[in-house]
Amino acid sequence: MNELDSIVDSARQAFSGAATPAELENAKALFVGKSGRITELMKGMAALSVDEKKTRGAAINLAKQAIEAALNARRQALADEELQVQLKAESLDVTLPGRKREPGGLHPVSLTMERIELIFASMGFDVADGPEIESDWHSFTSLNNPPNHPARSMQDTFYVDINGDDGIPYNLRPHTSPMQVRYAHAHIKKYAGRDMPEIRVIAPGRTYRVDSDATHSPMFHQCEGLWLGENVSFKDLKVVFTDFCRTFFESDDLALRFRPSFFPFTEPSAEIDIQFQSGPLAGRWLEVAGSGQVHPAVVRNMGLDPEKYIGFAFGMGPDRLTMLRYGVNDLRLYFDGDVRFLSQFR
Ligand code: DAH
């Protein structure tokens, strides 16, 4: 092997031994760099005759071209390798399932609230909303439940660290009943100086009590109802509530029972029980609401004359109505946010 062939050969070996572009550039310098071996050979030609220069020059050039060809081939190979490594590192796993956007839906309790509102609106009831942080007077005293009265302990009330004007702390309303007096006040104000129509309203919303198990949650829902006029009787309560329950549960043979009870704000008072005639709950009496004829003291606190105005009120639990309608057996499912539960109501 002549000298030039062996230089080309060792260049090829050096290039293929270079593992990185930097190593390759270093190897290149050894052969075609400023003081590389080919460069040195060219410098050495100065002493040759013109003829010798021609043949020697052509031979060196061929060697140089072969070296550069090998260099470029190795450059390309290294660049390809690098690209492969990068592609592998940044690869997308296209087998991963995409994130679907499922259609949303209302919470089962919201569905019940809408249903209650729709049914009562169809019977001429207004729908009202009120504060969840309530004064002691609205939650208790105005409802004929004065401070220190034992009936207050029927409700395990949350108190807020802020006092009302009366020096008594505000509470997280333990029932929607304060809406009876609030709505009556607003109603009277609205019709001041005019003929006042009857008060016919429901007030659904959130309520709070210190209570937590499979059938009680510290935050729960209630829906208050109030119908007050000059000639509204217990018979009207029975008719309205029976109509409501039969429409709500889509069951014409649903039975209702009014069981004597006590509430400070009604006299007489009754718990309302319902009984399905068919289905998994058939035959059992299920409590769904408290009710009664509005107490004269409450009518007076509304700013109305109890000799003139009479009527009924009720308070029911939409959470429980939802459980009965859909067969939900644990109230805590409402608050877990588990789509497997919630999507069943979509
Ligand atoms: N506020 C009562 C409770 O929380 C429910 C209730 C009973 C509401 C009788 C009423 C009523 O309006 O007349 O348990």
Side-chain angles (χ1 to χ4, degrees):
M1 197 187 286
N2 70 29
E3 187 201 4
L4 281 171
D5 285 345
S6 90
I7 293 177
V8 171
D9 207 48
S10 51
R12 281 192 181 125
Q13 274 176 33
F15 294 164
S16 62
T20 65
E23 276 178 41
L24 182 60
E25 294 314 305
N26 286 341
K28 170 197 159 188
L30 294 179
F31 299 94
V32 290
K34 254 190 210 153
S35 48
R37 291 172 68 181
I38 295 290
T39 322
E40 293 300 325
L41 289 179
M42 283 180 156
K43 286 179 192 163
M45 288 203 311
L48 302 181
S49 70
V50 176
D51 273 356
E52 281 171 327
K53 269 185 190 159
K54 258 190 193 161
T55 44
R56 180 72 176 152
I60 294 176
N61 256 335
L62 276 179
K64 192 181 175 188
Q65 279 166 16
I67 288 172
E68 276 169 352
L71 178 68
N72 286 332
R74 184 66 186 147
R75 272 190 187 139
Q76 190 59 52
L78 284 178
D80 286 350
E81 259 172 45
E82 196 174 83
L83 184 65
Q84 285 311 318
V85 170
Q86 200 180 347
L87 284 177
K88 220 173 220 168
E90 292 174 2
S91 69
L92 290 174
D93 180 358
V94 291
T95 64
L96 193 70
R99 292 198 186 97
K100 266 197 277 181
R101 263 180 193 268
E102 303 265 2
L106 287 181
H107 190 279
V109 175
S110 302
L111 290 173
T112 294
M113 295 288 228
E114 285 200 343
R115 198 170 165 78
I116 293 172
E117 289 173 21
L118 217 68
I119 297 170
F120 276 102
S122 78
M123 296 195 267
F125 280 71
D126 193 8
V127 177
D129 208 6
E132 290 167 27
I133 299 175
E134 231 348 329
S135 71
D136 189 82
W137 189 81
H138 282 99
S139 281
F140 302 111
T141 310
S142 73
L143 295 167
N144 197 33
N145 200 346
N148 305 318
H149 191 284
R152 282 208 180 194
S153 58
M154 286 166 77
Q155 292 155 343
D156 301 295
T157 312
F158 283 111
Y159 285 94
V160 178
D161 214 3
I162 304 167
N163 284 350
D165 294 338
D166 51 8
I168 306 175
Y170 280 102
N171 58 79
L172 298 186
R173 65 176 181 187
H175 53 181
T176 43
S177 302
M179 281 305 291
Q180 292 186 30
V181 177
R182 280 194 179 275
Y183 186 85
H185 285 164
H187 189 80
I188 293 164
K189 202 169 158 190
K190 181 173 169 188
Y191 291 100
R194 289 185 283 161
D195 260 1
M196 189 179 84
E198 289 187 335
I199 293 174
R200 211 182 298 169
V201 65
I202 60 162
R206 277 187 274 269
T207 45
Y208 304 84
R209 284 184 207 181
V210 186
D211 217 348
S212 189
D213 58 39
T215 51
H216 296 89
S217 141
M219 189 286 290
F220 59 106
H221 297 87
Q222 279 200 347
C223 180
E224 197 73 11
L226 173 68
W227 186 351
L228 200 69
E230 292 180 21
N231 192 19
V232 183
S233 73
F234 223 89
K235 172 199 73 189
D236 297 304
L237 166 63
K238 287 185 99 166
V239 168
V240 164
F241 213 83
T242 302
D243 270 359
F244 163 72
C245 288
R246 290 185 175 164
T247 310
F248 183 87
F249 288 109
E250 295 165 280
S251 162
D252 286 337
D253 55 0
L254 191 79
L256 271 82
R257 175 172 84 176
F258 288 73
R259 186 163 39 82
S261 184
F262 170 78
F263 297 101
F265 29 91
T266 42
E267 181 59 38
S269 305
E271 306 269 4
I272 307 176
D273 301 335
I274 60 169
Q275 188 191 59
F276 295 98
Q277 307 309 311
S278 56
L281 297 168
R284 281 168 54 192
W285 285 108
L286 308 156
E287 186 184 318
V288 292
S291 67
Q293 181 174 308
V294 181
H295 195 287
V298 177
V299 177
R300 211 172 292 120
N301 286 329
M302 290 171 176
L304 296 171
D305 178 4
E307 294 297 328
K308 185 173 175 196
Y309 288 95
I310 190 167
F312 66 80
F314 59 83
M316 59 182 166
D319 302 321
R320 184 154 163 79
L321 293 181
T322 309
M323 292 174 93
L324 294 175
R325 178 152 192 252
Y326 295 112
V328 178
N329 54 14
D330 192 328
L331 187 76
R332 289 168 291 202
L333 284 167
Y334 291 158
F335 309 110
D336 285 347
D338 187 332
V339 267
R340 288 171 303 178
F341 171 71
L342 296 173
S343 61
Q344 297 176 64
F345 303 93
R346 213 157 48 198

